[in-house]
Amino acid sequence: MLTRIAPTPSGYLHLGNILSFVTTAILAEKVGATILLRIDDMDRERVNPLYVQDVFNTLRFLDIPWQMGPRSAREFEAEWSQLHRMALYEAALLQLRESGQVFACTCSRAQVRRITGSDVYPGTCADKQISLDTPGASWRLHTQGTDRLTVHDYYSGAIAATLPPGVQYMVVRKKDGFPAYQLSSLVDDVYFGVNLIVRGQDLWPSTLAQQYLAQVLKLEAFQQVQFHHHPLLKDTGGLKLSKSSGSTSVKHLHEMGRSPADVYTLISDMAGINQRTESWRQLAAHLA
């Protein structure tokens, strides 16, 4: 089996990322899966070489294993960046275009919020017949919220669901011309042969979006992937951790003189375990 850890280099890795990596590592060990390090760098406006280097610094500092993928930032840029797989994403986008599955949208986020009072896109441009070649237009997928989806959960078996409103009419090509996350992540997982995906519970809508897109693109292998969605770490205000929260970044903690055991113990405390934790294996044992 093949699983992956797939950070985005848009900020320094935080404790929530580490929890996800550890959960991946222990499940991979349990089932004998290989771990692929796949750094998702398609968000070209936010990618920063410092954040790419932070991925390697953090994994090595905390002794988190991976067996496949780049071993350094230089190797990542030279061989493993998603820029090297642009032809795969463009082929998927062309397939969607030729089958009439996408429409052009010129709405901004601010316009969507004015219309709906939220970030949920209502399909404003779906019937406007805007040219897909319009500069600055994104491509969105025609979707049906009633279509049944099946997610194969590692622990619970098959789970039936429908596409949530927040990911209906999902963007597959951004206004800058680059493929959107849902498409590039899906295409990468199929390309590498990933068949076990561990991610936070907050990414359940993304799992459903990618399952839907896999149906449209007839990527049957992805529809058989096993998933595990783990609970999230929360800050003192009850909000999930984010890369904008510098105090929970591993880089910050390292620079403050914290050891790997200190970092793992802090994660344990935030997860309500309250035990000294020396390593990722011990953290995994506490979480089991």
Side-chain angles (χ1 to χ4, degrees):
M1 296 186 74
L2 180 66
T3 187
R4 78 316 196 260
I5 52 178
T8 56
S10 57
Y12 293 113
L13 294 179
H14 57 70
L15 298 180
N17 297 127
I18 304 311
L19 175 63
S20 188
F21 297 166
V22 169
T23 305
T24 302
I26 197 64
L27 186 55
E29 190 170 84
K30 179 179 179 180
V31 302
T34 298
I35 301 174
L36 163 71
L37 172 59
R38 192 195 80 200
I39 301 175
D40 290 354
D41 63 337
M42 269 296 98
D43 189 350
R44 302 308 299 173
E45 293 183 356
R46 299 174 65 195
V47 170
N48 186 318
L50 293 176
Y51 301 148
V52 174
Q53 184 60 51
D54 179 65
V55 171
F56 296 96
N57 293 347
T58 299
L59 291 175
R60 291 199 169 100
F61 173 58
L62 296 177
D63 197 31
I64 295 173
W66 76 99
Q67 296 82 39
M68 180 178 172
R71 308 308 298 184
S72 67
R74 178 175 295 182
E75 186 179 341
F76 166 72
E77 295 292 349
E79 300 178 31
W80 292 88
S81 166
Q82 289 184 308
L83 293 175
H84 296 295
R85 299 189 290 279
M86 283 296 297
L88 298 177
Y89 313 140
E90 289 169 354
L93 289 168
L94 180 61
Q95 181 180 337
L96 293 174
R97 177 174 186 156
E98 291 183 340
S99 62
Q101 300 284 351
V102 290
F103 62 93
C105 174
T106 57
C107 296
S108 66
R109 290 185 180 179
Q111 288 172 320
V112 172
R113 292 190 187 105
R114 283 198 296 270
I115 295 169
T116 67
S118 71
D119 290 326
V120 177
Y121 177 73
T124 308
C125 296
D127 298 318
K128 289 186 176 180
Q129 302 298 316
I130 300 170
S131 171
L132 290 170
D133 297 317
T134 301
S138 62
W139 291 9
R140 291 182 178 270
L141 190 70
H142 287 291
T143 57
Q144 298 291 329
T146 56
D147 286 0
R148 302 297 290 177
L149 303 169
T150 300
V151 177
H152 296 282
D153 182 87
Y154 178 79
Y155 291 102
S156 303
I159 299 174
T162 55
L163 199 62
V167 289
Q168 290 181 26
Y169 305 111
M170 72 191 78
V171 174
V172 292
R173 182 178 182 268
K174 298 180 294 182
K175 291 183 177 181
D176 61 7
F178 283 95
Y181 167 76
Q182 307 295 12
L183 184 135
S184 61
S185 180
L186 166 64
V187 170
D188 274 356
D189 283 332
V190 173
Y191 172 72
F192 287 112
V194 171
N195 52 15
L196 176 63
I197 296 175
V198 177
R199 51 178 34 157
Q201 290 175 342
D202 59 323
L203 290 179
W204 174 249
S206 285
T207 294
L208 295 176
Q210 290 166 19
Q211 288 284 3
Y212 189 98
L213 185 55
Q215 286 187 3
V216 174
L217 289 169
K218 296 180 173 55
L219 298 174
E220 296 180 4
F222 189 82
Q223 296 173 56
Q224 302 305 314
V225 170
Q226 294 186 68
F227 288 85
H228 171 53
H229 297 80
H230 61 79
L232 305 179
L233 289 184
K234 303 290 182 67
D235 63 18
T236 54
L239 300 175
K240 74 170 186 175
L241 303 184
S242 70
K243 287 176 181 169
S244 61
S245 179
S247 63
T248 64
S249 76
V250 177
K251 179 178 183 293
H252 172 79
L253 294 168
H254 192 186
E255 291 173 346
M256 293 294 290
R258 299 290 188 94
S259 68
D262 293 332
V263 174
Y264 284 126
T265 299
L266 184 55
I267 295 173
S268 294
D269 290 344
M270 295 179 74
I273 296 167
N274 299 318
Q275 293 187 41
R276 179 69 177 173
T277 305
E278 299 291 335
S279 67
W280 70 265
R281 290 180 184 278
Q282 199 171 65
L283 175 60
H286 291 332
L287 293 170

